[in-house]
Amino acid sequence: MKKILFLLLFILVINSCKKDEDNIVSPNNRDYTPKIITENYGNGKLVGFVNDKSGNPLSDVTVFFGAEKTLTKSDGSYQLNTLSAGFNKRIWFQKSGYASTQKLAGINEELPNRIDASLFQIDKTEKMNSDGGLIEGKDFSLEIQPGGFVYYDGSPVEEDVTVEVTAFLTSEDEFLDAFPGDCRGTRVDGTETAIESFGFIDVELKVESGEPVQLAEGVTAIIKIKAPENAPAIIPMWFYDEDKAKWIEEGVGSLDNGFYIAEVSHFTRWNWDRPIELISKIIARVVDNAGNPIEGASLIQTGINRNF
């Protein structure tokens, strides 16, 4: 009888311990669900190729438009099939270990459409707490001041934050294919302008669950990247708004001993850009190898001595 009673007590203790393990929660008892991006869908098809920083095909990249997702093949190719007609359709490119990007596509449902992209490997990944810290690379640095981090609802983060930093220099052959959005931005006064990039930096802050976080109110960070030759001494700063798919002017950067430097109070991608006036015009006729006109062909203009 004593043996049976002891066995029952032992089973109850084991079950009690298991129940406690099942009830373990995250430090802030938060459930994180990634944001759902809503789009209008149609019958338009979009194809393209994704390369890495060296121009090599990149497989298993997640390419998506709203809820439609696909993976690139071994040659870096992809195809999406449910895009609606129109301009500035947001196409996302993501792969673990790489800085993501967003491209804008113009879609004609009756014609083939193409957008290529490039993903750069993340340069540095480190953990930080409310004390902030310094992350340095060959061509960049990031220094976050003490003060902590917050979730997007404003509540404080009470766990370590993963900081991922990637620098994009204009000297890279794949720079323009990695550049998010297009080479246009919204100025402080609300006017639109073409922009010429002198490099940008991508900083992503997130907790263990993958939930993105931001700098707490009043906390700033110093960002720095290597500047190209003949870079202007003072230059406007622009951050990329993924929801609006636009570069937004905010603040000023300066040249310091061959590096561009700026102080920022929130994170997304930050771009050192000079507003420019577009005065050129191209009038052309696109034909195939038999001389037949091609409708709906995309024309891409790339600056030889400008970064757009």
Side-chain angles (χ1 to χ4, degrees), residues 2-106:
K2 289 183 178 179
K3 289 183 178 180
I4 295 174
L5 181 60
F6 176 78
L7 181 60
L8 289 172
L9 288 173
F10 181 76
I11 292 173
L12 286 172
V13 170
I14 292 298
N15 286 338
S16 176
C17 291
K18 186 176 187 304
K19 182 177 180 181
D20 289 342
E21 289 176 357
D22 291 341
N23 288 340
I24 292 175
V25 295
S26 63
N28 293 293
N29 194 26
R30 296 178 64 90
D31 292 325
Y32 170 60
T33 301
K35 179 175 63 176
I36 297 175
I37 301 169
T38 57
E39 298 284 2
N40 295 320
Y41 300 99
N43 299 312
K45 289 182 170 53
L46 180 70
V47 300
F49 292 86
V50 183
N51 291 333
D52 64 14
K53 186 176 183 177
S54 300
N56 300 311
L58 199 55
S59 62
D60 296 324
V61 175
T62 300
V63 185
F64 64 95
F65 170 75
E68 185 189 1
K69 295 185 178 182
T70 188
L71 292 175
T72 57
K73 300 178 181 178
S74 59
D75 62 352
S77 65
Y78 73 90
Q79 179 171 322
L80 296 171
N81 301 297
T82 64
L83 281 76
S84 57
F87 296 98
N88 296 328
K89 301 298 178 179
R90 298 173 297 175
I91 314 300
W92 305 75
F93 300 83
Q94 296 178 344
K95 182 179 173 70
S96 178
Y98 291 77
S100 62
T101 194
Q102 181 193 76
K103 291 292 187 179
L104 302 181

Side-chain angles (χ1 to χ4, degrees), residues 224-276:
K224 184 187 294 187
I225 65 166
K226 184 178 180 181
E229 294 183 4
N230 303 318
I234 302 295
I235 192 167
M237 295 298 299
W238 312 71
F239 70 89
Y240 190 69
D241 187 320
E242 290 185 337
D243 292 332
K244 296 178 180 178
K246 283 180 174 289
W247 290 100
I248 310 296
E249 182 182 7
E250 183 180 300
V252 176
S254 59
L255 192 62
D256 180 20
N257 197 28
F259 281 79
Y260 267 137
I261 186 170
E263 184 174 14
V264 301
S265 60
H266 61 94
F267 274 115
T268 168
R269 302 167 187 90
W270 282 97
N271 196 357
W272 287 261
D273 272 298
R274 176 170 61 186
I276 57 174

